[in-house]
Amino acid sequence: NAGVTQTPKFQVLKTGQSMTLQCAQDMNHNSMYWYRQDPGMGLRLIYYSASEGTTDKGEVPNGYNVSRLNKREFSLRLESAAPSQTSVYFCASSPRGSNQPQHFGDGTRLSIL
Amino acid sequence: AQKVTQAQTEISVVEKEDVTLDCVYETRDTTYYLFWYKQPPSGELVFLIRRNSFDEQNEISGRYSWNFQKSTSSFNFTITASQVVDSAVYFCALIHNTDKLIFGTGTRLQVFP
């Protein structure tokens, strides 16, 4: 009963390093999302994928890239990490349709020095 | 523009008190969905409830109840007889004709024994 699985759970990077956050879901959901959570700002959408093969920008896409590898997997890449990208990152998935609740992974806590 | 406002940043209560978390939203759409999520200290996001814009019936689930009022664009959440386990950050969120979930900034509830 895994749901949405994110790896790694914690990571520390140096400024300028690159990193890929992995996300996989086993619920056969069409839509997948990446959010970042910062103190006092709630969750903000970085990128989302409505279906396999499609991706679209959210509210805060700068500095990130995504890949919808297949229906199960949606990865988030930081090409050149910056201290401003220190955050907790959440992946989520949902069935197609905006009325469906999103199911979240446990988050990745990323610190960039 | 769509927006969700949770004006209460932090609320502290003593166990067994009732507490209401406020949520005010803005949208121009006639069809939309509202959600509440709970984020306990362990960090995961837990889906609590979904409400569509055409259903203004209040909902009760155990000690939890939700009051949806379109006239005031509010979707408030009340916990009756609060318990220490209710301590968490609670997020209200809105979704309309896309798959993009818009979160409020959250309300941190602390329930003291």
Side-chain angles (χ1 to χ4, degrees):
Chain A
N1 195 20
V4 179
T5 302
Q6 291 183 235
T7 55
K9 294 192 184 308
F10 303 94
Q11 185 70 47
V12 179
L13 295 177
K14 294 181 179 178
T15 297
Q17 287 185 315
S18 61
M19 171 79 190
T20 298
L21 307 186
Q22 307 287 353
C23 175
Q25 53 93 7
D26 62 3
M27 295 173 283
N28 201 35
H29 286 168
N30 290 299
S31 301
M32 296 186 74
Y33 313 81
W34 276 105
Y35 295 89
R36 60 178 289 173
Q37 183 179 18
D38 302 295
M41 303 193 73
L43 279 84
R44 293 180 293 168
L45 183 65
I46 304 171
Y47 270 94
Y48 73 103
S49 171
S51 61
E52 185 179 350
T54 68
T55 61
D56 207 347
K57 294 178 180 179
E59 182 184 353
V60 288
N62 291 343
Y64 305 95
N65 286 301
V66 290
S67 295
R68 183 75 183 266
L69 304 170
N70 48 55
K71 192 171 186 179
R72 291 187 63 249
E73 298 172 289
F74 188 38
S75 62
L76 178 72
R77 183 162 178 84
L78 288 70
E79 290 290 352
S80 180
S84 61
Q85 295 176 304
T86 294
S87 188
V88 180
Y89 291 85
F90 286 96
C91 178
S93 70
S94 70
R96 193 188 306 276
S98 60
N99 62 331
Q100 302 298 321
Q102 294 180 14
H103 298 261
F104 286 81
D106 289 341
T108 295
R109 187 173 296 275
L110 184 61
S111 294
I112 299 162
L113 307 177
Chain B
Q2 285 72 31
K3 185 179 178 181
V4 176
T5 300
Q6 295 180 256
Q8 302 152 308
T9 304
E10 188 162 341
I11 301 174
S12 295
V13 298
V14 177
E15 220 173 9
K16 298 184 182 177
E17 285 187 27
D18 299 346
V19 58
T20 295
L21 310 181
D22 297 332
C23 173
V24 174
Y25 62 92
E26 296 175 29
T27 180
R28 294 178 183 172
D29 294 302
T30 55
T31 301
Y32 52 89
Y33 296 84
L34 296 162
F35 300 81
W36 276 94
Y37 283 86
K38 174 182 180 180
Q39 186 176 42
S42 50
E44 73 273 22
L45 282 147
V46 179
F47 165 72
L48 294 178
I49 189 171
R50 173 189 65 199
R51 171 65 76 223
N52 75 59
S53 54
F54 298 106
D55 182 2
E56 288 195 70
Q57 278 191 330
N58 292 333
E59 180 150 345
I60 299 174
S61 176
R63 296 183 297 106
Y64 295 174
S65 62
W66 290 268
N67 184 343
F68 176 34
Q69 292 195 341
K70 287 180 75 170
S71 61
T72 56
S73 296
S74 65
F75 186 42
N76 296 338
F77 173 29
T78 297
I79 301 175
T80 303
S82 58
Q83 299 176 2
V84 173
V85 293
D86 296 324
S87 297
V89 180
Y90 291 87
F91 291 98
C92 180
L94 165 73
I95 200 166
H96 51 113
N97 62 346
T98 70
D99 288 338
K100 297 181 182 180
L101 196 59
I102 299 164
F103 283 86
T105 52
T107 297
R108 180 178 301 277
L109 173 65
Q110 294 196 70
V111 182
F112 293 99

